[in-house]
Every structure is written in structure tokens, then in C-alpha cells.
Amino acid sequence: MSKKISKIAVMTSGGDAPGMNAAVRSVVRTCAYHNISCLGIYRGYEGMIEGAFIELDARSVRGIINKGGTFLKSARCARFRTPEGRALAHKQLVKEGVDALVVIGGDGSFTGALHFNLEFNFPVIGIPGTIDNDISGTDRTLGYDTALNTAVEAIDKIRDTAHSHDRLFFVEVMGRDVGHIALNAGVGAGAEEILIPEEDMGIERLVESLERSKKSGKSSSIVVVAEGDKIGKSVFELKDYVDENLDEYDVRVSVLGHMQRGGSPTCYDRVLASRMGVKAVESLLAGESNFMVGSIHDKMELTPLKEAIKGKSKINKELIRVSEIMTT
Ligand code: F6P
């Protein structure tokens, strides 16, 4: 029989995402609701190794549901990838009387959590927090919706100046290996082309499409490029190629970068974070471990961490077709 849980630790790990604060708040308040203690860990696994902890009660997470970033701070930790680092971290948690762990992060953070569980039989549950939406077992990760809205707002502004000067803009959005932000923000902002790693359009087809665009009477254009797109080495190389091959375009580049990771979370992300926090704590209390909490068809579900890490979320093919029709 699994040990009774009376203290849960929570941390944020990997790249931050809007909604992480709301998720910590939910974990803390769910612990308080069930009369168990909650310990915050600063700077992810790094803080776990160093013993950088803070006792959290329902009142200590007031006023943070609307805040971007994570007050617990976040880090990517090389030491936790070693058995020695994990042993140190385990010692710290045992010293504090922690019985279970909630990890809010992406696939790297979940891999660490799985190792930790296998080595010390320590109960862990993951909450998917990353703007990339690249984790399977949930329709949306925390922070993705906010990042999409930030990207669309920025592209709308770029369109104003693109239109005034009859320019072509390549706008790079985040997404290390996946094109979810690019595809959705591209459709939402009415981009002429969207380049994502899942579909290799090829640079010649891009040039042809831009030529067609010009002939059809468009004076300015927006091409949204996912950071992980495979055409060209970078968005700047794409610009150089188009500069050399399409005289009729005056080209500029805008890399949105880390602004997509900040800002106040949308209502969607706040609600998702609140639901995920409740599900994570109540799953641990029910004796579950090694699962990730996710929202599938708007229901809170558990997916084995192993599967969540392995299976990348799939790009929406129907949306690719919609984007093609919209650029007619
Ligand atoms: O995984 C989230 C993400 O924002 C990616 O889209 C991006 O490639 C990466 O993190 C950037 O990481 P860092 O903040 O370490 O530069």
C-alpha cells in the first residue's frame, strides 16, 4: 500500500510559461483544502538539490493568478541529469518530510521526474507548462493560449507598418521543434504563408507563392515562420534569398522571441491551470504516480509520463488546409 501523503512539494521547471503561477496557486490551495502541507521549491531541480524551499499556505499565493512568469522561478538543471544530483535532491525532500511532488514543466522536466520516481519510488505528477504545446496527452499545454494571443497581437501591429510601406515581413515565432504557435497565430493574423517544421514547403515553392501573391494584387505580405522550421538556416537567410530572387519585394525580419513567454495569462490558461492543479494534487492523494495531467476534449485526464514525453503532439492537418485556402 502506498504511504499516506501529508506534504506535497511543487516546482516550476524548464522554460517558463504564462499560467505557471496560477498552477502553483491551484496546487497550494488544493493542498490547503485537503488539510495537507505544501512546500514550494525555488528554481526547479536546481533548488531541489540546494534545498531552496518555502512553506506555502493558501494566503501565500494570493494575487498571482494574473501574473506572468513564475514566482518560484525556473531553471534547466544539468546536475539533476546525474544520479548523484538526484540523490542529493531526494535527501533534501526527505529531510523536509515531503511525500510527493508536482512538477510543472515540459518534457525535459518530466524525464527528470520519471528518473526520480524510478530511483526512489517517489510519487510524482506532471502538469504540462510550455508555450510550445508540444506534449501529447493534453489538447493544450499551459501558456500556449497566452503565447498565441501575444503573437497575434504583435503580428497585427507588424501588419500595420508592412502595409504602410508595401513590405514583406518574415515574422519568427517560438516553437523549437513544432509549428503549433506558427500555424495558429498565422491563421489568426491572416498570414500569407506559414512555415512550420512539420511540412517542408521548400524555398522555391515559397518564392513562387510570393510571386503569385504579388501578381494577385497584394502589396504587403506577412510570412510567419516557426523557430524550428527547416527551410534555410534562419529567418535571416530566408530574407537574403528572397532579396536576391524577388526584386519586387522590400523585405524585413521581425523575431518575436521571449516576449511570447511573458505577460498576464489569458482566462483560458488561468482556468486550465486551476483545473490541472486540483487534478494533480487529488491524483497524488488517490495514490496515483508517474502521470501527467491533461485536458482532453475538455475533460481532465491522466496520461503516463512516459507516453507524454515520447509522443509529440500532432499538427492539425485541417488547419494547414484552412491556411492554404485563406491565402487564395
Ligand atoms: O520550450 C519553450 C521555448 O520557449 C521554445 O519555444 C524556445 O525554443 C526555447 O524555449 C527557448 O529557450 P531559452 O529560454 O532557454 O532560450
Side-chain angles (χ1 to χ4, degrees):
M1 221 183 82
S2 50
K3 192 179 159 218
K4 187 176 172 302
I5 289 174
S6 56
K7 190 169 193 172
I8 289 179
V10 59
M11 68 180 199
T12 49
S13 169
D16 64 349
M20 280 184 162
N21 276 327
V24 172
R25 170 183 180 269
S26 171
V27 167
V28 173
R29 294 220 167 142
T30 309
C31 285
Y33 179 84
H34 289 284
N35 286 318
I36 58 170
S37 307
C38 189
L39 190 76
I41 304 174
Y42 284 114
R43 299 186 308 282
Y45 293 119
E46 199 62 57
M48 203 197 269
I49 291 172
E50 287 163 5
F53 302 135
I54 178 175
E55 297 284 344
L56 297 170
D57 62 22
R59 295 287 72 75
S60 45
V61 287
R62 66 161 75 97
I64 64 167
I65 193 168
N66 57 335
K67 299 278 189 290
T70 158
F71 83 100
L72 285 178
K73 298 186 182 287
S74 192
R76 296 189 171 103
C77 176
R79 271 201 293 171
F80 198 78
R81 290 192 203 114
T82 67
E84 296 75 26
R86 291 194 290 272
L88 270 176
H90 181 245
K91 236 183 180 169
Q92 298 281 19
L93 290 192
V94 171
K95 203 165 88 189
E96 291 293 327
V98 174
D99 307 304
L101 176 66
V102 176
V103 177
I104 306 168
D107 54 358
S109 310
F110 293 163
T111 305
L114 255 188
H115 281 296
F116 195 66
N117 171 271
L118 291 178
E119 285 166 4
F120 306 106
N121 191 26
F122 204 90
V124 293
I125 291 280
I127 292 181
T130 163
I131 65 163
D132 287 358
N133 201 38
D134 59 348
I135 295 176
S136 71
T138 188
D139 294 338
R140 281 169 174 243
T141 55
L142 271 189
Y144 172 59
D145 186 66
T146 306
L148 276 183
N149 283 289
T150 303
V152 165
E153 197 185 327
I155 299 167
D156 284 349
K157 289 177 177 161
I158 291 169
R159 188 180 285 287
D160 289 346
T161 173
H163 189 63
S164 304
H165 288 270
D166 289 338
R167 280 176 172 159
L168 162 65
F169 266 84
F170 284 107
V171 182
E172 186 189 280
V173 297
M174 273 191 168
R176 198 180 357 228
D177 309 306
V178 290
H180 296 293
I181 297 180
L183 183 58
N184 283 271
V187 170
E192 276 63 39
E193 281 297 344
I194 302 167
L195 307 183
I196 55 175
E198 291 85 350
E199 298 268 303
D200 187 0
M201 183 187 199
I203 201 146
E204 286 313 322
R205 257 186 59 210
L206 172 68
V207 168
E208 280 165 25
S209 153
L210 290 173
E211 271 171 340
R212 264 200 316 277
S213 236
K214 197 73 175 179
K215 281 194 193 120
S216 78
K218 287 185 185 170
S219 58
S220 66
S221 287
I222 301 284
V223 178
V224 175
V225 187
E227 181 188 8
D229 181 64
K230 306 288 186 294
I231 314 185
K233 285 200 192 73
S234 73
V235 73
F236 295 98
E237 199 181 271
L238 276 181
K239 172 195 182 314
D240 291 344
Y241 191 88
V242 172
D243 269 342
E244 276 162 30
N245 291 276
L246 285 176
D247 282 348
E248 57 270 46
Y249 274 111
D250 183 15
V251 192
R252 294 290 185 276
V253 169
S254 184
V255 177
L256 299 190
H258 285 78
M259 68 176 292
Q260 296 160 97
R261 288 242 296 262
S264 181
T266 57
C267 180
Y268 183 93
D269 275 330
R270 297 180 199 190
V271 173
L272 185 65
S274 304
R275 294 176 75 193
M276 284 179 166
V278 171
K279 182 74 178 175
V281 171
E282 293 191 339
S283 299
L284 284 169
L285 294 181
E288 304 290 5
S289 177
N290 288 0
F291 286 101
M292 183 196 82
V293 171
S295 168
I296 302 177
H297 304 314
D298 204 32
K299 269 189 72 188
M300 284 296 115
E301 305 279 4
L302 295 178
T303 298
L305 276 178
K306 229 190 213 159
E307 279 173 32
I309 295 163
K310 220 174 42 206
K312 288 274 172 216
S313 55
K314 304 257 177 325
I315 204 80
N316 184 344
K317 297 270 183 200
E318 178 253 346
L319 194 53
I320 294 181
R321 186 162 173 269
V322 168
S323 84
E324 283 162 7
I325 294 173
M326 289 304 109
T327 57
T328 306

